[in-house]
Amino acid sequence: MELQGTVKKIFDAQTFASGFQKREMVILTQEQYPQPINIEFLSDKISLLDNLKEGENVKVGINIRGREWVSPQGETKYFNSITGWRVEKVFDNGSEPTQAAPSQSASPVANENPFAGDEDDDLPF
């Protein structure tokens, strides 16, 4: 899946006791009702955020992951995470969408009456 939007925030990398690393980025989608979406980058993918700046337009390849957790009281809860695996900068040239110009026909179309020479027609009208 892909998400596209503007980089709103890039967080510092976090390293946990186990050696696991993650870094998060928030993008603001470009919809009628923009949404701030938090995306995690894990382990070797955290370097993908090194060359990004807040305010840049990006397209992010994502996976949506879900997990189940059972609390000590026996209550089951479900959690989702969005994990990024690719980032592309999107360059907006700011121009309006272009319309295709009408194509010119290779051979001119004749506007002649194809029945002009048919004087012996026997139609009643």
Side-chain angles (χ1 to χ4, degrees), residues 3 6 8-12 14 22-29 35-42 49 60 62-65 80-84:
L3 285 176
T6 303
K8 181 172 179 147
K9 181 79 174 158
I10 299 174
F11 295 94
D12 292 332
Q14 299 173 337
K22 84 172 184 177
R23 191 170 182 192
E24 297 175 327
M25 169 178 71
V26 176
I27 67 169
L28 190 61
T29 61
Q35 302 292 311
I37 307 291
N38 187 53
I39 304 170
E40 299 177 328
F41 290 81
L42 309 176
L49 303 181
V60 184
I62 62 164
N63 291 325
I64 298 176
R65 302 191 183 272
N80 299 319
S81 62
I82 300 172
T83 306

Side-chain angles (χ1 to χ4, degrees), residues 27-28 32-33 43 46 48 51 57 65 73 80 83-84 90 93 98 101 104 114 120 124-125:
I27 67 169
L28 190 61
Q32 181 179 359
Y33 302 106
S43 302
I46 64 173
L48 294 175
N51 296 321
N57 290 325
R65 302 191 183 272
Q73 294 79 23
N80 299 319
T83 306
V90 177
N93 60 10
T98 56
Q104 296 294 331
D120 62 338
F125 47 87

Side-chain angles (χ1 to χ4, degrees), residues 60-76:
V60 184
I62 62 164
N63 291 325
I64 298 176
R65 302 191 183 272
R67 31 185 203 288
E68 181 179 277
W69 177 73
V70 180
S71 72
Q73 294 79 23
E75 182 182 6
T76 303

Side-chain angles (χ1 to χ4, degrees), residues 4 16 18 34 37 42 49 54-55 57-58 81 95 105 112-114:
Q4 187 167 332
F16 299 90
S18 64
I37 307 291
L42 309 176
L49 303 181
E54 294 177 7
N57 290 325
V58 293
S81 62
S95 64
S105 175
E112 298 175 5
N113 182 354

Side-chain angles (χ1 to χ4, degrees), residues 99-118:
Q99 267 189 333
S103 62
Q104 296 294 331
S105 175
S107 60
V109 177
N111 288 331
E112 298 175 5
N113 182 354
F115 305 108
D118 294 344

